[in-house]
């Protein structure tokens, strides 16, 4: 390429292109979330259409989370090896293609059984899980340390937003038009995200001069660059803490409706309002914490604080189980909001700990622990209800959140110095 061609390429994909990359990450994450959150809400239609028992339905729906948990580390390793563009294109295209096949041949009129449906949803989760590490690494490499928390939190907010779109569309499509439409719509979302990725996602340009720039996504700790995050206990501690913080999140999102129906005699409207407050409030809190921690550099401290507050809120829900409904609902909504608010900061921190060259692996590890717990929590809570009580369920969710607090590593002095230096670099205008 000529020098003029290089200059044109740098103008086309300069530092401002990072906002396009962020939009692509949001779109990819939202497309996956629409499928992941929307398909389970078709449960009533799925149980009737496929002639499933309640136990078989629970197993089938859990397969989505199982697929993500089983594949996330592998996708992270592939992302670090081949780059986020290739992995996102592969994962989104394959997920869209699988959903097209399901729309054509794995619906109730096609005579699909529980085994085939469970297999397809497991594979859909495994393929769709590619967006977690790949879109996160893309954002990390385009944004500097002083902006990463904010950018990653926006990306993570795509999960409740995309999930809300899936929850609104897919159950209605399944009941009104059948599962061909319910699978075809998320297929279109995934393929549209793949097309946008192919058109606009590129690696950031190399620095114009010596030394890293914020847009290159340089490692904050270059000395740790060659060491796999899978061999670092501090990275594992943060990933396991995230898994524990996932327990109250899934407890509130998955079982609020059942609790309010069985214990309080309330309908779906109050349960939906409680979950919406938890999701949308948690999404807003993700952005706020991301912006704040970009300025303070205290991401781990914020994660510990959120864990403690979520634990207290869920303990309040346990104590207030038999209290008047408004008090119980307030505690559950607050606990759910807090349990939905830490993700952006945690994803940013674990990627920064690993460094840009290993960010995909670290993000895959965190995704694996989160989705593994997301798979186990809905299976274990009914057992707890059968043998104890709802107060014990909310109490166990509180205990999990509080146990995460000491597991989060303490702030590292060296990392604070790196953040301070990066903040000074980011203060300079990007050209």
């Amino acid at each position: 390429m000529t020098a003029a061609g290089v200059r044109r390429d740098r103008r086309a994909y300069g530092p401002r292109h990072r906002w396009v990359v962020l939009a692509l990450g949001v779109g990819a994450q939202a497309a996956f979330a629409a499928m992941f959150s929307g398909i389970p809400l078709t449960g009533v239609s799925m149980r009737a259409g496929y002639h499933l028992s309640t136990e078989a339905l629970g197993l089938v729906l859990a397969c989505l989370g199982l697929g993500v948990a089983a594949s996330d580390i592998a996708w992270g390793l592939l992302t670090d090896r081949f780059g986020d563009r290739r992995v996102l294109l592969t994962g989104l295209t394959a997920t869209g293609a699988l959903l097209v096949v399901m729309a054509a041949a794995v619906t109730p009129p096609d005579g699909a059984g529980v085994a085939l449906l469970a297999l397809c949803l497991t594979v859909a989760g495994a393929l769709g899980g590619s967006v977690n590490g790949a879109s996160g690494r893309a954002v990390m490499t385009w944004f500097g340390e002083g902006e990463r928390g904010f950018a990653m939190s926006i990306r993570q907010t795509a999960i409740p937003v995309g999930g809300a779109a899936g929850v609104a569309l897919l159950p209605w499509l399944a009941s009104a038009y059948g599962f061909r439409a319910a699978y075809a719509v998320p297929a279109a979302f995934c393929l549209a995200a793949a097309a946008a990725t192919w058109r606009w996602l590129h690696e950031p340009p190399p620095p114009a001069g010596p030394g890293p720039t914020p847009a290159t996504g340089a490692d904050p700790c270059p000395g740790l660059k060659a060491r796999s995050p899978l061999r670092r206990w501090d990275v594992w501690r943060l990933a396991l803490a995230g898994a524990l913080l996932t327990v109250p999140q899934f407890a509130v999102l998955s079982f609020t409706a059942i609790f309010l129906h069985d214990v309080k005699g309330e309908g779906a409207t109050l349960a939906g309002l409680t979950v919406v407050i938890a999701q949308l409030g948690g999404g807003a809190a993700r952005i706020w914490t991301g912006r704040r921690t970009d300025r303070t550099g205290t991401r781990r401290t914020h994660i510990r604080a959120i864990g403690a507050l979520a634990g207290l809120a869920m303990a309040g829900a346990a104590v207030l189980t038999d209290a008047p409904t408004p008090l119980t609902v307030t505690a559950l909504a607050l606990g759910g909001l807090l349990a939905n608010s830490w993700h952006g900061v945690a994803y940013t921190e674990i990627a920064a700990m690993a460094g840009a060259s290993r960010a995909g692996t670290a993000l895959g590890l965190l995704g694996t622990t989160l989705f593994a717990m997301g798979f186990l929590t809905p299976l274990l809570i009914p057992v707890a209800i059968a043998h104890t009580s709802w107060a014990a369920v909310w109490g166990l969710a509180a205990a999990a959140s509080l146990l995460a607090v000491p597991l989060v590593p303490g702030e590292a002095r060296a990392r604070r110095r790196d953040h301070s230096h990066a903040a000074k670099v980011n203060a300079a205008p990007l050209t």
Side-chain angles (χ1 to χ4, degrees):
M1 182 181 291
T2 65
V6 172
R7 286 195 296 271
R8 282 195 301 271
D9 184 66
R10 288 197 180 185
R11 281 198 300 271
Y13 303 111
R16 292 187 180 182
H17 190 70
R18 68 193 188 278
W19 299 108
V20 177
V21 172
L22 177 58
L24 293 173
V26 168
Q29 200 79 60
F32 170 64
M35 176 196 72
F36 187 85
S37 298
I39 287 180
L41 265 292
T42 67
V44 174
S45 298
M46 185 174 285
R47 182 172 59 181
Y50 287 94
H51 305 292
L52 304 175
S53 67
T54 301
E55 291 76 12
L57 175 66
L59 175 63
V60 165
L61 295 180
C63 284
L64 272 172
L66 178 63
V68 179
S71 67
D72 243 15
I73 289 181
W75 281 120
L77 291 167
L78 290 171
T79 299
D80 289 338
R81 175 67 178 84
F82 296 107
D84 38 70
R85 175 182 165 86
R86 291 182 181 179
V87 169
L88 268 181
L89 280 173
T90 301
L92 288 169
T93 303
T95 304
L98 175 64
L99 289 169
V100 169
V101 171
M102 291 179 66
V106 192
T107 65
D110 300 310
V114 61
L116 179 59
L117 183 60
L119 175 62
C120 287
L121 291 181
T122 301
V123 177
L127 294 173
S130 60
V131 307
N132 295 323
S135 64
R137 182 181 180 276
V139 173
M140 288 292 295
T141 55
W142 272 92
F143 282 82
E145 176 67 22
E147 295 178 321
R148 284 175 176 166
F150 178 60
M152 289 287 281
S153 295
I154 291 177
R155 187 201 72 128
Q156 287 302 114
T157 303
I159 295 176
V161 172
V167 166
L169 283 174
L170 269 57
W172 168 69
L173 289 170
S175 62
Y177 300 101
F179 278 90
R180 297 198 195 282
Y183 296 143
V185 167
F189 290 163
C190 290
L191 293 175
T197 297
W198 177 81
R199 174 62 180 85
W200 286 296
L201 182 59
H202 302 275
E203 293 289 330
T213 66
T216 64
D219 291 313
C221 303
L224 296 175
K225 191 172 183 178
R227 189 180 178 192
S228 172
L230 301 180
R231 300 176 62 186
R232 290 178 52 187
W233 174 232
D234 58 340
V235 174
W236 273 98
R237 283 178 61 183
L238 185 56
L240 293 173
L244 290 171
L245 290 171
T246 301
V247 175
Q249 176 191 3
F250 274 85
V252 171
L253 296 182
S254 301
F255 288 92
T256 294
I258 295 174
F259 165 74
L260 290 177
H261 178 273
D262 292 354
V263 178
K264 301 294 186 180
E266 296 288 345
T269 301
L270 182 60
L273 178 61
T274 305
V275 172
V276 165
I277 291 173
Q279 285 187 307
L280 297 185
R286 291 181 192 191
I287 296 176
W288 182 84
T289 54
R291 191 63 169 170
R292 178 174 174 79
T293 55
D294 278 339
R295 297 170 179 170
T296 63
T298 55
R299 289 190 284 260
R300 302 180 197 180
T301 299
H302 275 71
I303 297 170
R304 287 198 299 271
I306 291 170
L309 292 172
L312 292 175
M314 294 308 298
V319 172
L320 297 170
T321 298
D322 297 321
T325 299
L327 293 177
T328 313
V329 166
T330 299
L332 287 173
L334 180 59
L337 186 156
L338 290 164
N340 275 281
S341 66
W342 54 272
H343 299 70
V345 177
Y347 271 92
T348 307
E349 179 62 16
I350 203 167
M353 290 168 70
S357 65
R358 297 282 191 170
T361 303
L363 291 168
L365 173 62
L366 182 57
T368 294
T369 59
L370 266 57
F371 280 97
M373 190 60 73
F375 169 71
L376 290 174
T377 299
L379 296 180
L380 295 176
I381 285 181
V383 177
I385 295 170
H387 291 86
T388 56
S389 65
W390 278 103
V393 168
W394 305 133
L396 289 172
S401 188
L402 294 173
L403 285 173
V405 175
L407 198 54
V408 177
E411 300 288 352
R413 292 181 181 180
R415 197 185 68 79
R416 285 201 297 267
R417 288 196 300 268
D418 290 330
H419 172 83
S420 178
H421 173 72
K424 293 178 181 178
V425 173
N426 286 333
L430 296 175
T431 58

